[in-house]
Amino acid sequence: MNAGEVKHPGLNLGSTDTDTHEQAEGDVFGFWVFLMSDAVIFALLFAVYGTMLAATAGGPTPADAYKLGPTFAETLTLLTSSLTFGMASIAVKYEASGSVLFGWLAITLALGLAFLGLELHDFATMIGEGAYPARSGFLSSFFALVPLHGLHVLAGCLWLVVMIVQLSTFGLDARVKINLLRLGLFWHFLDIVWIAIFSIVYLQGLIR
Amino acid sequence: MTGPGREKWNDIRGYLIGYGLALALTAAAFAAVRWPTFGAGATLGLVFGLALVQLTVHFRYFLHISLRRSARDDLLLILFSTLIIVLMVSGTIVIMSDLRGRMM
Amino acid sequence: MMDGIWPAVLGRFTWSALPFVRAWQNPTINEIIGAGAAMMVIVGAASVIALITIKGRWRYLWREWLTSLDHKKIGIMYVVLAFVMLSRALVEAVLMRMQQAAAVNAPGFVEPDHFAQLFSTHGSIMIFFMAMPFLTGIINYVMPLQIGARDVSFPLLNSISLWLTGGAAGLIMVSLVIGRFSTGGWSGYPPYTELAFSPDVGPDYWIWAVTLGSIASTLSGLNFAVTIYKERCPGMTFMRMPLFVWTALCTSILMIFAMPPLTVATALLALDRYVGFHFFTNDLGGNMMNYANLFWLFGHPEVYILILPAFGVYSEVVSTFSSKELYGYTSLVWATMTIAVLSFTVWVHHFFTMGQSANLNAVFGIATMTIGVPTGVKIYDWIWTMFRGEVRFTVPMLYSLAFMMTFVLGGFTGILLAFPPLDYLVHNTLFLIAHFHNMLIPGLLYGMLAATHYWFPKAFGFRLNEKWGRIAFGCWVVGFYLAFMPLYVLGAGGAARRSQAFFEPAFRPWLYVAGVGALILASGLASLFVQLWVSMRDRDANRVFVGDPWDGRGLEWSTSAPPPEYNYANLPVVAGRDPFFDGKRKGDPYGAPEDYHDIDMPRNSMVGPVSGTVGAMLGFGLVWHIWWLSILCLVTLIGTVIARSFVRDVQRVIPAADIARIEQRWHDAIAQARAIPRERETMTVNEGLAEVTV
């Protein structure tokens, strides 16, 4: 077994912690399989959204309901949180103590919460303007897809909190490391879903 | 720099490159919609094209999926998932739009 | 009752939700049957609880079984669940057959609404809570042994999957006692299952039971796939895996990718029903055809999730009982993978009549027929495996032969149904019912029963009674033909499925025959229980502790029966496709290793039972709109997962000395056992040591 070998998606611990690296192989791969299954759920919601785009039932259309500015802000927040999580992963790999790691995890959490705040504000505005889920098939499909991503981000934030607590309880033991590797996959995966959301939902709806 | 220091810097650089590319691609997509210069169809194609490129950027730089031999399992899994997703999504769109064409 | 605190506490529960109250107020035969069924659930549950309490076995049950993370015990519990649910759903099938036979130009004894509940629960249970647990249980037991692993990759997740499935099955059982079940069939099509047409709790019971079950199956699939990918013993390359492991892998991959569409379909239906979304409603842009599309995106691969493991079982059984290497191993592997991928390309054939264009139907019709090709390859491979082999007609082999003939017949009617114009004629008739029972009874049930017979001695250390096994086999086969062949005739004659009554006197003789068939099928189940009882009574005469009663081929036969909890004292190293069979011919496969090492095994955990129970209660709260209960359960679930992530002491060490003692006992038994030739394998002289002839 070569410690430099790539054993799973995401940042590999490699020679910095060979034991955990070995152990991570199956554990992280399993989580990756779960994410693929989750991706099918999102893909189908996108497909349903596509089939219901025209089902506005006389209510707001995509162009009425969406706004470019806030979407861009949300995108930047989420993208930046991916970079900060990347820095956290590097800290997991190279830091012995975990003090730098704390900082990056906290920043990521803050960005995640900021994203949720922006998104909730966005939804509130939409609902205030009459674009609520029960209004039409189109809005139903929007409110099944985009808030599900938001729920995932919320779950990610909760997970971050748990990991910050575990870090202070156990330090950087093997299970904390592996869980942070998994959380990293989750966080970057949510980014990928968001790319699809801003391209297929928001930008497509706003093209004139 | 040698040894672990170099490896660490390589890892950091990967994330920075990924972030830079992602920012540029996102900005390009939003700009194409904010200041429309082509027709609606062409803009949509451009947005989707940029999204696909950004997808691969994220896979490459954030999720570290590569063509290296030892990472082939993960890549195969992604490709199989993509096949299933393409089958399901394109099938759904084709079937439902066919129905819509005949029913509406 | 209507105002004040009760609605907040009890949601929309009223006394008339209880079938006893309904039967008291309105004592018709129909209501009495409902109350009787509820009574059976209560009496059944109470007597099980009483029996365990009287025998003082709670502690044992909790420690050794309910909280166990051992894949073997979890597998057995899955199979027990499958048999419990099979019993209920088979009784419902018999009731439906009796009703239809009695209701030609007559009312019969079951009212339409009750009849609709019967076919909805029968279908939902047979698919989600009989077939799925059965195959998951068999895979759980056999697969890790076959690949030379200690356990699955995620033992705790395995327990959670089991308990979520059990909780979901419990939810369906509760629907017999409190409230009522859906009348929308096992597929739960909207708009009928929307609030506008089914405002009662029935569809909600269906939604949450199926959702819990499908999440559990997704997690099982993930667990199995990762296990097969990462836990194979040294030397076990992909092309050396037993064929059952291949089918388990393909089934797991199908579970990972095909259960999500079902989760999406049920979740969107729930959004419609609970918060007024418009996915499948008739108004405001809803489109119920989206549901058909989503449901069958799951539904078709599901058919192969059910059938592939049985294909694997037949491959093992036919090869073992013909004393021959499996013919065309590579082609069987490719056929399995082809079927798995093709199964994602044919879902439209479940709704040819939905209204899409003829060209689209033609594409999917042709794709459907294509699946016949790899399936045909498999049938030929099994036939060639038997050719010139020393075929022994034991019970598993009999099931395999019955499967081959019956399944081909079902395949033919499948090809007929794959023609869209022909499908238009028999769509929604009993012809379709006959067809899919013709696929699933041989393609799933016979396979799982064959697996139970084949691996039972491995799991429990004694063989099942052969005579009662043959009687049960006879009932399952004769009963099947009598019960379902008439349905082809009836369906072709225009008898609609799900009918509570008929008005065509010419149907009567066929319905009588089908009714007799259903009774024989029920006798088949009864014979299985008799067989179990007889076998347990005579267990001491039929022990096969050495572990190899059938001159087996794969690694699973190279351990004692039952295997120790750690499976293998030292992980095996394999060099071929039939490692144990070849090992017996080349030398001594039982040779003791030079020394033993400590083995880490996962500690028991109550996370599984807690999450299953709380999950079912969450579903119950949602069904009855008891919001405080739902919120409490959701918080408990999340809290359990978080709390578990803080537990660090999750491993238990089995000291090398204990292992040496356990292994020594087994090696002594091997030394004392008498090797027997194949013609005496069903007799009491079989101690599980095979006489080796080269």
Side-chain angles (χ1 to χ4, degrees):
Chain A
M1 288 279 172
N2 176 11
E5 213 177 358
V6 181
K7 286 193 182 293
H8 56 76
L11 195 65
N12 278 235
L13 293 175
S15 51
T16 59
D17 184 350
T18 41
D19 284 353
T20 313
H21 185 47
E22 286 286 326
Q23 201 189 329
E25 181 178 3
D27 289 4
V28 177
F29 182 70
F31 191 70
W32 183 243
V33 175
F34 167 75
L35 288 181
M36 291 294 109
S37 189
D38 206 21
V40 175
I41 289 188
F42 276 111
L44 288 166
L45 288 174
F46 277 112
V48 170
Y49 176 81
T51 64
M52 298 198 108
L53 257 179
T56 50
T61 62
D64 301 336
Y66 303 155
K67 304 203 170 32
L68 199 59
T71 312
F72 192 58
E74 285 157 29
T75 308
L76 285 186
T77 317
L78 206 59
L79 270 184
T80 310
S81 78
S82 244
L83 177 71
T84 57
F85 204 105
M87 294 302 125
S89 306
I90 285 170
V92 172
K93 184 169 175 179
Y94 296 101
E95 290 282 321
S97 65
S99 52
V100 180
L101 177 57
F102 259 121
W104 286 118
L105 289 180
I107 296 173
T108 310
L109 178 61
L111 286 166
L113 292 174
F115 171 84
L116 282 176
L118 287 171
E119 193 171 45
L120 280 178
H121 180 258
D122 220 20
F123 292 156
T125 319
M126 276 180 77
I127 291 168
E129 291 169 356
Y132 52 93
R135 176 63 190 83
S136 68
F138 152 66
L139 285 164
S140 294
S141 63
F142 171 87
F143 277 102
L145 170 60
V146 182
L148 181 67
H149 174 269
L151 261 179
H152 276 70
V153 175
L154 182 66
C157 289
L158 182 61
W159 195 352
L160 268 170
V161 172
V162 171
M163 289 322 295
I164 288 172
V165 176
Q166 291 208 347
L167 197 60
S168 56
T169 318
F170 302 111
L172 259 177
D173 70 358
R175 274 186 62 195
V176 168
K177 279 187 179 179
I178 289 174
N179 268 330
L180 281 169
L181 291 179
R182 284 179 175 151
L183 178 52
L185 292 187
F186 188 66
W187 204 262
H188 296 309
F189 167 78
L190 292 184
D191 245 15
I192 287 179
V193 176
W194 184 256
I195 297 170
I197 287 181
F198 79 68
S199 305
I200 295 173
V201 176
Y202 287 107
L203 292 185
Q204 178 177 211
L206 288 167
I207 286 173
R208 272 165 291 165
Chain B
M1 254 191 291
T2 53
R6 175 157 209 93
E7 201 188 330
K8 183 178 178 184
W9 170 241
N10 272 339
D11 282 344
I12 294 178
R13 203 179 53 182
Y15 281 103
L16 288 175
I17 293 174
Y19 184 61
L21 284 174
L23 275 187
L25 289 161
T26 306
F30 276 85
V33 175
R34 177 68 184 79
W35 297 285
T37 37
F38 321 102
T43 312
L44 186 64
L46 181 67
V47 166
F48 283 3
L50 288 169
L52 273 181
V53 177
Q54 196 174 345
L55 228 61
T56 49
V57 165
H58 280 240
F59 271 124
R60 171 74 188 81
Y61 291 101
F62 293 157
L63 289 162
H64 304 269
I65 303 294
S66 67
L67 295 172
R68 256 187 291 176
R69 218 176 146 268
S70 51
R72 212 45 75 75
D73 276 0
D74 308 323
L75 186 67
L76 279 179
L77 181 63
I78 293 171
L79 292 179
F80 184 76
S81 315
T82 312
L83 170 74
I84 298 298
I85 285 173
V86 166
L87 275 175
M88 285 180 173
V89 173
S90 63
T92 302
I93 302 282
V94 167
I95 293 161
M96 297 309 290
S97 54
D98 181 84
L99 261 178
R100 178 168 282 274
R102 287 162 58 83
M103 298 266 172
M104 297 284 166
Chain C
M1 194 84 184
M2 285 312 291
D3 50 354
I5 195 165
W6 288 114
V9 176
L10 292 177
R12 52 173 163 165
F13 173 83
T14 58
W15 289 113
S16 65
L18 299 177
F20 310 113
V21 176
R22 288 202 300 267
W24 182 261
Q25 288 164 347
N26 177 25
T28 59
I29 293 183
N30 181 57
E31 291 295 352
I32 289 169
I33 290 176
M39 196 50 117
M40 274 169 69
V41 173
I42 292 176
V43 170
S47 47
V48 169
I49 291 171
L51 194 70
I52 298 169
T53 313
I54 291 167
K55 295 235 170 195
R57 302 293 264 181
W58 279 111
R59 199 180 178 76
Y60 162 80
L61 207 62
W62 179 256
R63 281 218 182 141
E64 292 296 318
W65 291 89
L66 305 184
T67 57
S68 172
L69 304 192
D70 182 345
H71 72 93
K72 299 183 285 297
K73 287 180 174 166
I74 289 177
I76 291 168
M77 286 189 276
Y78 263 118
V79 174
V80 170
L81 175 68
F83 269 105
V84 171
M85 298 314 276
L86 172 65
S87 310
R88 171 176 168 191
L90 190 58
V91 168
E92 288 170 337
V94 172
L95 260 182
M96 285 190 283
R97 284 276 133 260
M98 295 301 118
Q99 161 67 18
Q100 287 194 337
V104 182
N105 281 319
F109 51 90
V110 177
E111 283 170 15
D113 183 77
H114 193 166
F115 189 81
Q117 289 184 54
L118 284 176
F119 66 68
S120 304
T121 41
H122 171 79
S124 308
I125 289 178
M126 282 296 195
I127 298 287
F128 297 109
F129 303 109
M130 188 285 283
M132 295 296 273
F134 214 149
L135 68 93
T136 312
I138 301 283
I139 293 176
N140 237 318
Y141 195 94
V142 176
M143 181 270 289
L145 283 168
Q146 283 196 328
I147 61 172
R150 290 255 150 77
D151 206 323
V152 293
S153 285
F154 307 108
L156 178 66
L157 191 67
N158 204 11
S159 164
I160 292 175
S161 298
L162 166 75
W163 279 95
L164 285 179
T165 313
L171 206 53
I172 289 203
M173 295 311 275
V174 166
S175 79
L176 265 183
V177 185
I178 307 173
R180 60 203 289 283
F181 198 69
S182 172
T183 49
W186 84 279
S187 50
Y189 269 15
Y192 178 69
T193 45
E194 290 283 356
L195 271 189
F197 305 99
S198 301
D200 55 278
V201 294
D204 298 323
Y205 266 122
W206 180 82
I207 287 172
W208 299 118
V210 167
T211 306
L212 277 180
S214 76
I215 291 171
S217 293
T218 313
L219 298 177
S220 290
L222 183 162
N223 210 341
F224 294 153
V226 176
T227 307
I228 297 173
Y229 254 85
K230 301 289 183 190
E231 305 288 331
R232 280 168 290 134
C233 68
M236 179 73 76
T237 57
F238 274 112
M239 291 311 272
R240 283 180 188 163
M241 295 193 311
L243 210 87
F244 180 73
V245 178
W246 266 110
T247 56
L249 177 62
C250 288
T251 284
S252 313
I253 291 174
L254 290 182
M255 284 185 192
I256 296 164
F257 291 102
M259 300 317 285
L262 177 65
T263 311
V264 171
T266 52
L268 297 188
L269 185 58
L271 283 176
D272 275 6
R273 287 181 63 89
Y274 281 82
V275 277
F277 280 40
H278 289 283
F279 282 105
F280 314 123
T281 54
N282 287 343
D283 54 345
L284 289 172
N287 185 351
M288 69 288 268
M289 280 125 179
N290 251 330
Y291 182 91
N293 180 64
L294 285 171
F295 186 83
W296 292 111
L297 269 172
F298 142 78
H300 198 80
E302 166 73 8
V303 174
Y304 292 91
I305 293 176
L306 301 180
I307 287 177
L308 285 178
F311 285 178
V313 172
Y314 296 130
S315 303
E316 305 285 318
V317 165
V318 168
S319 168
T320 301
F321 290 108
S322 304
S323 298
K324 259 185 78 187
E325 190 183 11
L326 192 60
Y327 180 90
Y329 174 89
T330 316
S331 65
L332 278 167
V333 169
W334 281 103
T336 307
M337 288 199 276
T338 312
I339 290 174
V341 174
L342 280 180
S343 73
F344 283 105
T345 63
V346 300
W347 73 97
V348 172
H349 74 216
H350 294 273
F351 48 93
F352 275 151
T353 56
M354 192 166 81
Q356 60 275 33
S357 62
N359 285 345
L360 208 152
N361 277 352
V363 169
F364 281 90
I366 293 166
T368 304
M369 293 177 208
T370 318
I371 292 198
V373 177
T375 317
V377 167
K378 290 183 161 230
I379 297 276
Y380 282 117
D381 280 334
W382 292 318
I383 293 175
W384 281 109
T385 306
M386 290 186 286
F387 182 66
R388 290 194 169 166
E390 294 166 25
V391 180
R392 289 115 64 193
F393 294 97
T394 54
V395 173
M397 193 66 190
L398 290 176
Y399 277 117
S400 308
L401 291 170
F403 152 78
M404 280 182 232
M405 292 178 223
T406 315
F407 194 76
V408 168
L409 204 64
F412 282 141
T413 57
I415 298 282
L416 290 179
L417 284 165
F419 286 104
L422 231 162
D423 181 77
Y424 263 77
L425 295 179
V426 288
H427 185 87
N428 249 346
T429 68
L430 290 177
F431 191 91
L432 178 75
I433 306 298
H435 164 70
F436 72 70
H437 284 87
N438 199 343
M439 302 316 274
L440 287 177
I441 291 182
L444 175 107
L445 192 64
Y446 288 2
M448 294 302 114
L449 293 178
T452 316
H453 275 266
Y454 182 56
W455 281 302
F456 185 92
K458 174 54 60 181
F460 294 97
F462 58 93
R463 285 179 300 104
L464 282 171
N465 182 285
E466 194 76 7
K467 186 182 105 191
W468 277 100
R470 282 165 192 267
I471 292 172
F473 163 78
C475 291
W476 284 114
V477 174
V478 174
F480 165 77
Y481 278 93
L482 286 182
F484 292 101
M485 292 301 130
L487 300 199
Y488 279 123
V489 181
L490 287 165
R497 73 190 289 197
R498 297 177 176 175
S499 300
Q500 177 256 353
F502 288 111
F503 303 98
E504 170 54 65
F507 288 169
R508 192 172 279 140
W510 299 106
L511 288 169
Y512 284 166
V513 176
V516 171
L519 288 174
I520 297 179
L521 285 174
S523 324
L525 183 67
S527 313
L528 283 181
F529 287 124
V530 173
Q531 181 198 28
L532 186 64
W533 181 72
V534 170
S535 310
M536 281 168 72
R537 189 193 61 195
D538 302 341
R539 61 184 178 277
D540 286 328
N542 292 309
R543 293 234 185 253
V544 287
F545 177 58
V546 173
D548 180 28
W550 318 123
D551 193 9
R553 311 182 75 86
L555 286 178
E556 79 269 30
W557 302 109
S558 70
T559 68
S560 62
E565 64 169 324
Y566 47 81
N567 290 354
Y568 300 99
N570 290 305
L571 287 185
V573 179
V574 299
R577 227 168 251 165
D578 292 318
F580 183 58
F581 189 82
D582 295 344
K584 282 182 282 187
R585 268 109 196 121
K586 283 180 188 142
D588 176 22
Y590 297 112
E594 281 159 18
D595 56 345
Y596 296 101
H597 307 279
D598 293 355
I599 294 175
D600 280 351
M601 294 303 287
R603 268 182 203 285
N604 284 11
S605 166
M606 57 186 286
V607 171
V610 167
S611 39
T613 316
V614 175
M617 280 161 63
L618 171 63
F620 186 80
L622 287 168
V623 167
W624 289 98
H625 296 185
I626 308 175
W627 307 124
W628 62 266
L629 181 66
S630 313
I631 294 167
L632 187 71
C633 290
L634 189 66
V635 172
T636 314
L637 266 184
I638 298 171
T640 309
V641 173
I642 293 177
R644 168 73 190 185
S645 75
F646 280 87
V647 179
R648 282 297 183 272
D649 182 24
V650 294
Q651 298 283 337
R652 181 170 56 89
V653 178
I654 306 178
D658 288 5
I659 296 166
R661 195 162 34 74
I662 295 168
E663 296 290 312
Q664 191 54 48
R665 188 174 149 244
W666 179 50
H667 283 292
D668 291 346
I670 297 170
Q672 283 164 14
R674 189 151 47 108
I676 50 117
R678 285 307 91 209
E679 56 271 21
R680 306 178 72 184
E681 68 186 349
T682 54
M683 301 174 193
T684 48
V685 290
N686 189 350
E687 293 172 80
L689 187 65
E691 183 181 282
V692 176
T693 47
V694 179

